[in-house]
Amino acid sequence: MSNSTDNGFELTIGEIETLLIICGYLGGLWTAGRAFEVFGLPSYLGQILTGVLLGPGIWDVVPFTVGFEDEGRTIWSVMGSIGALLFLFESGLSVNLQQMRLVMGRSVLIALVGALGPISLSYLLFYGILSKDLFPSTMSASFSLSPTSIGLTTRLLLETRQFRTVAGQSILTASFIDDIIGLSLFLMLITIASG
């Protein structure tokens, strides 16, 4: 059964249901963000909690696989990719390159500790627990702990009005460098492991 309009555009009941779920989910995210702000907490905490509660792990209100299955993707992964791109674009528009240059030295040090610290400690932990080297599995698990979430870091700095401060720019610059280090190491591992 489908609803058609004069121009021949048709939506099935399943597609309408999917659109309603998406609208309800986005409304829930917005409401949770606002509710957390009322209590003086960052809105992204409420939005993350909403995603966890409504997702397939707990209440399964938001279906994990809707549309795009033939391409191996879900509507949620497509929406997430678009949202991440827009958010990173917005972050890039707010970057102060002059201030970033001023904090580059300390940011590199912070990034090296932030990238190599988790990698080293987790590798030692995995190696200690398993008592053998399971290359590339232990390295892969270790490298996955290194990258930061630039989007989340930027949002937190913006919400706390620290984005344009020296400390905020140091954190943001260190996050960029940390991600470059972590992802570069991860790509090298994939290249080595694949042959």
Side-chain angles (χ1 to χ4, degrees):
M1 181 172 165
S2 64
N3 300 331
S4 67
T5 61
D6 294 337
N7 63 5
F9 181 73
E10 294 184 13
L11 288 175
T12 65
I13 296 297
E15 290 168 337
I16 293 171
E17 184 179 301
T18 299
L19 288 173
L20 289 174
I21 289 171
I22 290 170
C23 290
Y25 181 68
L26 293 175
L29 289 175
W30 183 84
T31 303
R34 292 294 180 194
F36 271 61
E37 284 178 351
V38 166
F39 293 107
L41 298 168
S43 63
Y44 71 85
L45 288 177
Q47 293 163 350
I48 290 172
L49 181 63
T50 301
V52 170
L53 291 174
L54 296 180
I58 297 182
W59 291 336
D60 199 21
V61 174
V62 179
F64 192 67
T65 55
V66 176
F68 299 99
E69 288 93 353
D70 54 331
E71 299 173 22
R73 302 189 73 193
T74 66
I75 187 72
W76 305 108
S77 67
V78 172
M79 287 177 57
S81 296
I82 292 169
L85 287 173
L86 290 174
F87 195 73
L88 290 173
F89 179 71
E90 179 190 10
S91 302
L93 291 175
S94 305
V95 169
N96 183 337
L97 292 177
Q98 295 288 67
Q99 209 168 23
M100 212 178 232
R101 272 191 221 119
L102 294 174
V103 300
M104 187 60 75
R106 93 178 68 153
S107 295
V108 168
L109 180 62
I110 294 168
L112 285 171
V113 171
L116 301 178
I119 290 171
S120 303
L121 291 174
S122 60
Y123 182 77
L124 291 173
L125 179 66
F126 291 131
Y127 186 76
I129 290 172
L130 302 173
S131 301
K132 59 182 173 179
D133 188 12
L134 295 176
F135 182 81
S137 301
T138 52
M139 293 305 289
S140 177
S142 298
F143 288 169
S144 68
L145 297 174
S146 174
T148 57
S149 171
I150 292 175
L152 194 58
T153 302
T154 302
R155 184 153 179 202
L156 178 61
L157 292 172
L158 286 169
E159 282 188 13
T160 58
R161 293 185 170 84
Q162 297 296 310
F163 189 83
R164 297 199 185 276
T165 66
V166 173
Q169 289 298 303
S170 296
I171 292 168
L172 186 64
T173 304
S175 294
F176 280 123
I177 297 168
D178 179 88
D179 278 0
I180 291 169
I181 293 169
L183 295 174
S184 297
L185 290 172
F186 205 66
L187 287 173
M188 285 191 306
L189 177 68
I190 290 170
T191 303
I192 292 168
S194 63

Short mmCIF file of all heavy atoms in Angstrom, two decimals, residues 13-78:
data_model
loop_
_atom_site.label_atom_id
_atom_site.label_comp_id
_atom_site.label_asym_id
_atom_site.label_seq_id
_atom_site.Cartn_x
_atom_site.Cartn_y
_atom_site.Cartn_z
N ILE A 13 4.13 2.50 3.16
CA ILE A 13 3.89 2.61 4.60
C ILE A 13 5.20 2.43 5.36
O ILE A 13 5.48 3.13 6.32
CB ILE A 13 2.82 1.59 5.05
CG1 ILE A 13 1.47 1.89 4.38
CG2 ILE A 13 2.69 1.56 6.56
CD1 ILE A 13 0.87 3.24 4.75
N GLY A 14 6.03 1.50 4.92
CA GLY A 14 7.32 1.26 5.57
C GLY A 14 8.24 2.47 5.49
O GLY A 14 8.94 2.79 6.46
N GLU A 15 8.23 3.17 4.36
CA GLU A 15 9.06 4.37 4.22
C GLU A 15 8.55 5.50 5.10
O GLU A 15 9.34 6.24 5.71
CB GLU A 15 9.11 4.81 2.75
CG GLU A 15 9.89 3.86 1.87
CD GLU A 15 9.68 4.12 0.38
OE1 GLU A 15 8.65 4.71 0.00
OE2 GLU A 15 10.58 3.72 -0.38
N ILE A 16 7.23 5.63 5.18
CA ILE A 16 6.64 6.65 6.06
C ILE A 16 6.99 6.34 7.51
O ILE A 16 7.37 7.24 8.28
CB ILE A 16 5.11 6.74 5.85
CG1 ILE A 16 4.81 7.28 4.46
CG2 ILE A 16 4.47 7.60 6.93
CD1 ILE A 16 3.36 7.22 4.06
N GLU A 17 6.90 5.08 7.88
CA GLU A 17 7.26 4.66 9.23
C GLU A 17 8.72 4.98 9.53
O GLU A 17 9.05 5.49 10.60
CB GLU A 17 6.99 3.17 9.38
CG GLU A 17 7.23 2.63 10.77
CD GLU A 17 6.91 1.15 10.85
OE1 GLU A 17 5.77 0.77 10.56
OE2 GLU A 17 7.83 0.39 11.21
N THR A 18 9.61 4.73 8.57
CA THR A 18 11.03 5.02 8.74
C THR A 18 11.26 6.52 8.93
O THR A 18 12.01 6.94 9.80
CB THR A 18 11.84 4.51 7.52
OG1 THR A 18 11.67 3.10 7.42
CG2 THR A 18 13.31 4.83 7.67
N LEU A 19 10.59 7.34 8.12
CA LEU A 19 10.72 8.79 8.25
C LEU A 19 10.22 9.27 9.61
O LEU A 19 10.82 10.15 10.23
CB LEU A 19 9.97 9.50 7.12
CG LEU A 19 10.61 9.39 5.73
CD1 LEU A 19 9.69 9.99 4.68
CD2 LEU A 19 11.97 10.06 5.70
N LEU A 20 9.12 8.71 10.09
CA LEU A 20 8.60 9.07 11.41
C LEU A 20 9.57 8.68 12.52
O LEU A 20 9.76 9.42 13.49
CB LEU A 20 7.23 8.45 11.64
CG LEU A 20 6.09 9.05 10.81
CD1 LEU A 20 4.80 8.24 11.01
CD2 LEU A 20 5.88 10.51 11.17
N ILE A 21 10.19 7.50 12.38
CA ILE A 21 11.19 7.06 13.37
C ILE A 21 12.37 8.02 13.38
O ILE A 21 12.85 8.42 14.44
CB ILE A 21 11.64 5.61 13.08
CG1 ILE A 21 10.52 4.64 13.41
CG2 ILE A 21 12.89 5.27 13.89
CD1 ILE A 21 10.80 3.21 12.97
N ILE A 22 12.83 8.42 12.20
CA ILE A 22 13.97 9.35 12.11
C ILE A 22 13.60 10.68 12.76
O ILE A 22 14.37 11.24 13.55
CB ILE A 22 14.39 9.55 10.63
CG1 ILE A 22 15.04 8.28 10.09
CG2 ILE A 22 15.35 10.73 10.50
CD1 ILE A 22 15.28 8.29 8.59
N CYS A 23 12.41 11.21 12.45
CA CYS A 23 11.97 12.48 13.06
C CYS A 23 11.84 12.35 14.57
O CYS A 23 12.25 13.25 15.31
CB CYS A 23 10.64 12.93 12.45
SG CYS A 23 10.79 13.45 10.74
N GLY A 24 11.28 11.25 15.03
CA GLY A 24 11.16 11.03 16.48
C GLY A 24 12.51 10.93 17.15
O GLY A 24 12.73 11.48 18.24
N TYR A 25 13.44 10.24 16.50
CA TYR A 25 14.80 10.09 17.04
C TYR A 25 15.49 11.44 17.13
O TYR A 25 16.09 11.79 18.16
CB TYR A 25 15.58 9.12 16.17
CG TYR A 25 16.99 8.87 16.64
CD1 TYR A 25 17.22 8.18 17.82
CD2 TYR A 25 18.07 9.32 15.91
CE1 TYR A 25 18.51 7.94 18.26
CE2 TYR A 25 19.36 9.08 16.33
CZ TYR A 25 19.58 8.40 17.50
OH TYR A 25 20.86 8.17 17.93
N LEU A 26 15.41 12.24 16.06
CA LEU A 26 16.04 13.57 16.07
C LEU A 26 15.39 14.47 17.12
O LEU A 26 16.07 15.24 17.80
CB LEU A 26 15.97 14.20 14.67
CG LEU A 26 16.79 13.50 13.60
CD1 LEU A 26 16.54 14.13 12.23
CD2 LEU A 26 18.28 13.51 13.93
N GLY A 27 14.06 14.37 17.25
CA GLY A 27 13.37 15.13 18.30
C GLY A 27 13.80 14.71 19.69
O GLY A 27 13.99 15.54 20.58
N GLY A 28 14.00 13.40 19.88
CA GLY A 28 14.49 12.89 21.16
C GLY A 28 15.89 13.39 21.47
O GLY A 28 16.20 13.75 22.62
N LEU A 29 16.73 13.43 20.45
CA LEU A 29 18.10 13.96 20.63
C LEU A 29 18.07 15.42 21.06
O LEU A 29 18.77 15.82 21.99
CB LEU A 29 18.91 13.83 19.34
CG LEU A 29 19.33 12.43 18.92
CD1 LEU A 29 20.00 12.48 17.56
CD2 LEU A 29 20.25 11.81 19.95
N TRP A 30 17.25 16.21 20.38
CA TRP A 30 17.16 17.63 20.69
C TRP A 30 16.62 17.83 22.11
O TRP A 30 17.17 18.62 22.88
CB TRP A 30 16.26 18.32 19.67
CG TRP A 30 16.17 19.80 19.89
CD1 TRP A 30 17.04 20.76 19.46
CD2 TRP A 30 15.15 20.49 20.63
NE1 TRP A 30 16.62 21.99 19.88
CE2 TRP A 30 15.47 21.86 20.61
CE3 TRP A 30 14.01 20.07 21.31
CZ2 TRP A 30 14.68 22.82 21.23
CZ3 TRP A 30 13.24 21.03 21.93
CH2 TRP A 30 13.56 22.39 21.88
N THR A 31 15.56 17.10 22.46
CA THR A 31 14.95 17.23 23.78
C THR A 31 15.92 16.82 24.88
O THR A 31 16.05 17.52 25.90
CB THR A 31 13.68 16.35 23.87
OG1 THR A 31 12.79 16.75 22.83
CG2 THR A 31 13.00 16.48 25.21
N ALA A 32 16.63 15.72 24.68
CA ALA A 32 17.61 15.27 25.69
C ALA A 32 18.73 16.28 25.85
O ALA A 32 19.16 16.58 26.97
CB ALA A 32 18.18 13.91 25.29
N GLY A 33 19.19 16.85 24.74
CA GLY A 33 20.24 17.87 24.81
C GLY A 33 19.78 19.08 25.61
O GLY A 33 20.51 19.58 26.47
N ARG A 34 18.58 19.54 25.33
CA ARG A 34 18.04 20.70 26.07
C ARG A 34 17.85 20.38 27.55
O ARG A 34 18.12 21.21 28.42
CB ARG A 34 16.71 21.15 25.46
CG ARG A 34 16.83 21.74 24.11
CD ARG A 34 17.60 23.03 24.18
NE ARG A 34 17.69 23.58 22.84
CZ ARG A 34 18.49 24.54 22.50
NH1 ARG A 34 19.27 25.08 23.39
NH2 ARG A 34 18.53 24.98 21.28
N ALA A 35 17.34 19.19 27.85
CA ALA A 35 17.12 18.80 29.25
C ALA A 35 18.45 18.78 30.02
O ALA A 35 18.51 19.25 31.16
CB ALA A 35 16.45 17.43 29.31
N PHE A 36 19.50 18.26 29.42
CA PHE A 36 20.80 18.23 30.09
C PHE A 36 21.34 19.64 30.29
O PHE A 36 21.96 19.93 31.31
CB PHE A 36 21.79 17.36 29.31
CG PHE A 36 21.77 15.92 29.72
CD1 PHE A 36 20.62 15.15 29.59
CD2 PHE A 36 22.89 15.32 30.27
CE1 PHE A 36 20.59 13.83 29.98
CE2 PHE A 36 22.87 14.00 30.67
CZ PHE A 36 21.72 13.25 30.52
N GLU A 37 21.10 20.54 29.31
CA GLU A 37 21.55 21.93 29.45
C GLU A 37 20.86 22.62 30.62
O GLU A 37 21.46 23.43 31.32
CB GLU A 37 21.29 22.70 28.16
CG GLU A 37 22.27 22.40 27.07
CD GLU A 37 21.96 23.14 25.77
OE1 GLU A 37 20.88 23.76 25.67
OE2 GLU A 37 22.81 23.10 24.87
N VAL A 38 19.57 22.30 30.85
CA VAL A 38 18.82 22.89 31.96
C VAL A 38 19.51 22.56 33.30
O VAL A 38 19.55 23.39 34.21
CB VAL A 38 17.36 22.39 31.96
CG1 VAL A 38 16.65 22.70 33.27
CG2 VAL A 38 16.60 22.99 30.79
N PHE A 39 20.08 21.36 33.40
CA PHE A 39 20.75 20.94 34.62
C PHE A 39 22.23 21.30 34.63
O PHE A 39 22.99 20.84 35.48
CB PHE A 39 20.57 19.43 34.84
CG PHE A 39 19.16 19.05 35.13
CD1 PHE A 39 18.39 18.40 34.17
CD2 PHE A 39 18.57 19.36 36.34
CE1 PHE A 39 17.08 18.05 34.42
CE2 PHE A 39 17.25 19.01 36.61
CZ PHE A 39 16.50 18.37 35.65
N GLY A 40 22.66 22.13 33.67
CA GLY A 40 24.04 22.59 33.64
C GLY A 40 25.02 21.56 33.11
O GLY A 40 26.23 21.69 33.32
N LEU A 41 24.53 20.54 32.41
CA LEU A 41 25.39 19.51 31.84
C LEU A 41 25.51 19.72 30.34
O LEU A 41 24.61 20.28 29.72
CB LEU A 41 24.81 18.13 32.13
CG LEU A 41 24.70 17.76 33.62
CD1 LEU A 41 23.85 16.51 33.78
CD2 LEU A 41 26.08 17.55 34.20
N PRO A 42 26.58 19.25 29.73
CA PRO A 42 26.72 19.38 28.28
C PRO A 42 25.61 18.62 27.55
O PRO A 42 25.28 17.49 27.90
CB PRO A 42 28.09 18.77 27.97
CG PRO A 42 28.81 18.73 29.27
CD PRO A 42 27.77 18.65 30.34
N SER A 43 25.07 19.24 26.51
CA SER A 43 23.95 18.64 25.78
C SER A 43 24.35 17.33 25.10
O SER A 43 23.52 16.43 24.96
CB SER A 43 23.40 19.61 24.74
OG SER A 43 24.38 19.91 23.77
N TYR A 44 25.61 17.21 24.68
CA TYR A 44 26.00 15.99 23.98
C TYR A 44 25.90 14.75 24.86
O TYR A 44 25.70 13.65 24.37
CB TYR A 44 27.40 16.11 23.38
CG TYR A 44 28.52 16.11 24.38
CD1 TYR A 44 29.06 14.92 24.85
CD2 TYR A 44 29.04 17.30 24.86
CE1 TYR A 44 30.07 14.92 25.78
CE2 TYR A 44 30.05 17.31 25.78
CZ TYR A 44 30.57 16.12 26.24
OH TYR A 44 31.57 16.12 27.16
N LEU A 45 25.99 14.91 26.20
CA LEU A 45 25.83 13.75 27.09
C LEU A 45 24.41 13.20 26.99
O LEU A 45 24.20 11.98 26.92
CB LEU A 45 26.14 14.13 28.54
CG LEU A 45 27.60 14.38 28.88
CD1 LEU A 45 27.75 14.81 30.34
CD2 LEU A 45 28.43 13.14 28.61
N GLY A 46 23.43 14.09 26.96
CA GLY A 46 22.05 13.66 26.80
C GLY A 46 21.80 13.02 25.45
O GLY A 46 21.06 12.04 25.33
N GLN A 47 22.47 13.53 24.42
CA GLN A 47 22.29 12.99 23.09
C GLN A 47 22.94 11.62 22.95
O GLN A 47 22.39 10.72 22.33
CB GLN A 47 22.83 13.98 22.06
CG GLN A 47 21.98 15.24 22.03
CD GLN A 47 22.65 16.41 21.36
OE1 GLN A 47 23.83 16.38 21.05
NE2 GLN A 47 21.88 17.46 21.14
N ILE A 48 24.11 11.44 23.55
CA ILE A 48 24.75 10.12 23.54
C ILE A 48 23.89 9.12 24.30
O ILE A 48 23.66 7.99 23.85
CB ILE A 48 26.17 10.19 24.13
CG1 ILE A 48 27.10 10.95 23.18
CG2 ILE A 48 26.73 8.79 24.41
CD1 ILE A 48 28.48 11.24 23.75
N LEU A 49 23.40 9.52 25.48
CA LEU A 49 22.55 8.65 26.28
C LEU A 49 21.28 8.26 25.50
O LEU A 49 20.86 7.10 25.52
CB LEU A 49 22.19 9.32 27.60
CG LEU A 49 21.33 8.52 28.55
CD1 LEU A 49 22.06 7.25 28.99
CD2 LEU A 49 20.97 9.36 29.77
N THR A 50 20.69 9.22 24.79
CA THR A 50 19.51 8.93 23.98
C THR A 50 19.82 7.91 22.90
O THR A 50 19.04 6.97 22.68
CB THR A 50 18.99 10.23 23.32
OG1 THR A 50 18.66 11.16 24.35
CG2 THR A 50 17.76 9.97 22.47
N GLY A 51 20.97 8.06 22.23
CA GLY A 51 21.37 7.10 21.21
C GLY A 51 21.54 5.70 21.77
O GLY A 51 21.12 4.71 21.16
N VAL A 52 22.14 5.62 22.95
CA VAL A 52 22.35 4.31 23.58
C VAL A 52 21.01 3.69 23.97
O VAL A 52 20.77 2.50 23.72
CB VAL A 52 23.28 4.45 24.81
CG1 VAL A 52 23.31 3.16 25.61
CG2 VAL A 52 24.69 4.84 24.38
N LEU A 53 20.13 4.48 24.57
CA LEU A 53 18.84 3.95 25.03
C LEU A 53 17.93 3.53 23.87
O LEU A 53 17.31 2.47 23.91
CB LEU A 53 18.12 4.97 25.91
CG LEU A 53 18.74 5.25 27.27
CD1 LEU A 53 18.00 6.39 27.96
CD2 LEU A 53 18.74 4.00 28.12
N LEU A 54 17.84 4.37 22.83
CA LEU A 54 16.92 4.10 21.73
C LEU A 54 17.49 3.14 20.69
O LEU A 54 16.75 2.61 19.87
CB LEU A 54 16.51 5.41 21.04
CG LEU A 54 15.73 6.40 21.88
CD1 LEU A 54 15.39 7.63 21.07
CD2 LEU A 54 14.46 5.77 22.44
N GLY A 55 18.79 2.92 20.73
CA GLY A 55 19.44 2.07 19.73
C GLY A 55 19.18 0.60 19.95
O GLY A 55 18.48 0.19 20.88
N PRO A 56 19.77 -0.23 19.08
CA PRO A 56 19.51 -1.67 19.11
C PRO A 56 20.03 -2.37 20.36
O PRO A 56 19.59 -3.46 20.68
CB PRO A 56 20.22 -2.19 17.85
CG PRO A 56 21.21 -1.14 17.50
CD PRO A 56 20.66 0.15 18.00
N GLY A 57 20.93 -1.73 21.09
CA GLY A 57 21.50 -2.35 22.28
C GLY A 57 20.56 -2.45 23.46
O GLY A 57 20.64 -3.38 24.25
N ILE A 58 19.61 -1.49 23.58
CA ILE A 58 18.74 -1.50 24.77
C ILE A 58 17.27 -1.60 24.35
O ILE A 58 16.66 -2.67 24.45
CB ILE A 58 19.01 -0.27 25.65
CG1 ILE A 58 20.45 -0.33 26.17
CG2 ILE A 58 18.02 -0.21 26.82
CD1 ILE A 58 20.85 0.77 27.09
N TRP A 59 16.65 -0.49 23.90
CA TRP A 59 15.22 -0.52 23.61
C TRP A 59 14.90 -0.89 22.17
O TRP A 59 13.76 -1.21 21.86
CB TRP A 59 14.56 0.82 23.96
CG TRP A 59 14.51 1.08 25.44
CD1 TRP A 59 14.53 0.16 26.44
CD2 TRP A 59 14.43 2.35 26.06
NE1 TRP A 59 14.47 0.78 27.66
CE2 TRP A 59 14.41 2.14 27.46
CE3 TRP A 59 14.38 3.65 25.61
CZ2 TRP A 59 14.34 3.17 28.37
CZ3 TRP A 59 14.31 4.67 26.53
CH2 TRP A 59 14.28 4.43 27.89
N ASP A 60 15.83 -0.77 21.29
CA ASP A 60 15.68 -1.10 19.87
C ASP A 60 14.51 -0.36 19.22
O ASP A 60 13.80 -0.89 18.36
CB ASP A 60 15.51 -2.62 19.69
CG ASP A 60 15.81 -3.07 18.26
OD1 ASP A 60 16.50 -2.32 17.54
OD2 ASP A 60 15.35 -4.14 17.87
N VAL A 61 14.31 0.90 19.64
CA VAL A 61 13.28 1.73 19.04
C VAL A 61 13.74 2.16 17.64
O VAL A 61 12.96 2.18 16.70
CB VAL A 61 13.00 2.97 19.91
CG1 VAL A 61 12.05 3.93 19.23
CG2 VAL A 61 12.45 2.54 21.25
N VAL A 62 15.01 2.50 17.54
CA VAL A 62 15.58 2.92 16.26
C VAL A 62 16.22 1.70 15.62
O VAL A 62 17.19 1.17 16.14
CB VAL A 62 16.63 4.03 16.46
CG1 VAL A 62 17.23 4.44 15.14
CG2 VAL A 62 16.00 5.22 17.16
N PRO A 63 15.65 1.22 14.52
CA PRO A 63 16.21 0.02 13.90
C PRO A 63 17.62 0.27 13.39
O PRO A 63 17.92 1.34 12.90
CB PRO A 63 15.25 -0.29 12.76
CG PRO A 63 14.51 0.97 12.51
CD PRO A 63 14.53 1.76 13.78
N PHE A 64 18.45 -0.73 13.52
CA PHE A 64 19.85 -0.59 13.12
C PHE A 64 20.00 -0.65 11.61
O PHE A 64 20.82 0.02 11.03
CB PHE A 64 20.70 -1.67 13.79
CG PHE A 64 22.17 -1.42 13.66
CD1 PHE A 64 22.76 -0.36 14.31
CD2 PHE A 64 22.95 -2.25 12.89
CE1 PHE A 64 24.11 -0.13 14.20
CE2 PHE A 64 24.30 -2.03 12.77
CZ PHE A 64 24.89 -0.97 13.43
N THR A 65 19.21 -1.47 10.95
CA THR A 65 19.32 -1.60 9.49
C THR A 65 18.02 -1.16 8.84
O THR A 65 17.02 -1.86 8.89
CB THR A 65 19.62 -3.05 9.08
OG1 THR A 65 18.62 -3.89 9.65
CG2 THR A 65 20.97 -3.49 9.58
N VAL A 66 18.05 0.00 8.26
CA VAL A 66 16.90 0.52 7.53
C VAL A 66 17.44 1.14 6.24
O VAL A 66 18.22 2.07 6.29
CB VAL A 66 16.15 1.61 8.33
CG1 VAL A 66 15.03 2.19 7.50
CG2 VAL A 66 15.61 1.04 9.62
N GLY A 67 17.07 0.61 5.11
CA GLY A 67 17.49 1.16 3.83
C GLY A 67 18.96 0.94 3.56
O GLY A 67 19.75 0.62 4.44
N PHE A 68 19.37 1.08 2.35
CA PHE A 68 20.76 0.97 1.90
C PHE A 68 21.38 -0.39 2.19
O PHE A 68 22.58 -0.53 2.10
CB PHE A 68 21.66 2.06 2.52
CG PHE A 68 21.26 3.45 2.18
CD1 PHE A 68 20.51 4.21 3.06
CD2 PHE A 68 21.63 4.00 0.97
CE1 PHE A 68 20.15 5.50 2.75
CE2 PHE A 68 21.26 5.30 0.65
CZ PHE A 68 20.52 6.05 1.53
N GLU A 69 20.58 -1.43 2.58
CA GLU A 69 21.15 -2.72 2.92
C GLU A 69 21.89 -3.34 1.75
O GLU A 69 22.90 -4.00 1.92
CB GLU A 69 20.08 -3.73 3.41
CG GLU A 69 19.55 -3.43 4.78
CD GLU A 69 18.29 -2.57 4.73
OE1 GLU A 69 17.91 -2.10 3.64
OE2 GLU A 69 17.69 -2.37 5.79
N ASP A 70 21.39 -3.08 0.52
CA ASP A 70 22.04 -3.65 -0.65
C ASP A 70 23.43 -3.06 -0.87
O ASP A 70 24.27 -3.66 -1.53
CB ASP A 70 21.18 -3.46 -1.90
CG ASP A 70 20.78 -2.01 -2.13
OD1 ASP A 70 20.66 -1.26 -1.14
OD2 ASP A 70 20.58 -1.64 -3.30
N GLU A 71 23.70 -1.89 -0.31
CA GLU A 71 25.02 -1.27 -0.41
C GLU A 71 25.88 -1.58 0.81
O GLU A 71 26.99 -1.10 0.93
CB GLU A 71 24.88 0.25 -0.55
CG GLU A 71 24.11 0.66 -1.79
CD GLU A 71 23.84 2.16 -1.82
OE1 GLU A 71 24.58 2.92 -1.14
OE2 GLU A 71 22.91 2.57 -2.51
N GLY A 72 25.36 -2.36 1.74
CA GLY A 72 26.10 -2.68 2.94
C GLY A 72 26.11 -1.55 3.95
O GLY A 72 26.90 -1.55 4.88
N ARG A 73 25.24 -0.57 3.79
CA ARG A 73 25.17 0.57 4.71
C ARG A 73 23.75 0.70 5.22
O ARG A 73 22.81 0.17 4.63
CB ARG A 73 25.58 1.86 4.00
CG ARG A 73 26.98 1.78 3.42
CD ARG A 73 27.46 3.08 2.92
NE ARG A 73 27.76 3.92 4.07
CZ ARG A 73 27.97 5.23 3.97
NH1 ARG A 73 27.90 5.82 2.84
NH2 ARG A 73 28.26 5.93 5.05
N THR A 74 23.58 1.43 6.28
CA THR A 74 22.25 1.69 6.81
C THR A 74 21.97 3.18 6.69
O THR A 74 22.88 3.98 6.50
CB THR A 74 22.15 1.29 8.29
OG1 THR A 74 23.01 2.15 9.05
CG2 THR A 74 22.53 -0.16 8.51
N ILE A 75 20.73 3.55 6.80
CA ILE A 75 20.36 4.96 6.76
C ILE A 75 21.07 5.72 7.88
O ILE A 75 21.47 6.85 7.74
CB ILE A 75 18.82 5.15 6.82
CG1 ILE A 75 18.41 6.60 6.60
CG2 ILE A 75 18.26 4.67 8.14
CD1 ILE A 75 18.58 7.08 5.20
N TRP A 76 21.27 5.03 9.01
CA TRP A 76 21.92 5.67 10.16
C TRP A 76 23.39 5.92 9.89
O TRP A 76 23.93 6.95 10.28
CB TRP A 76 21.72 4.82 11.42
CG TRP A 76 20.27 4.57 11.64
CD1 TRP A 76 19.61 3.40 11.48
CD2 TRP A 76 19.27 5.54 11.99
NE1 TRP A 76 18.27 3.57 11.71
CE2 TRP A 76 18.03 4.86 12.03
CE3 TRP A 76 19.31 6.88 12.26
CZ2 TRP A 76 16.86 5.52 12.35
CZ3 TRP A 76 18.12 7.53 12.58
CH2 TRP A 76 16.92 6.84 12.62
N SER A 77 24.06 5.01 9.21
CA SER A 77 25.47 5.25 8.90
C SER A 77 25.61 6.38 7.89
O SER A 77 26.53 7.19 7.96
CB SER A 77 26.16 3.97 8.40
OG SER A 77 25.65 3.58 7.14
N VAL A 78 24.68 6.47 6.94
CA VAL A 78 24.71 7.57 5.97
C VAL A 78 24.46 8.90 6.68
O VAL A 78 25.19 9.88 6.47
CB VAL A 78 23.66 7.34 4.85
CG1 VAL A 78 23.53 8.56 3.95
CG2 VAL A 78 24.03 6.12 4.03
#
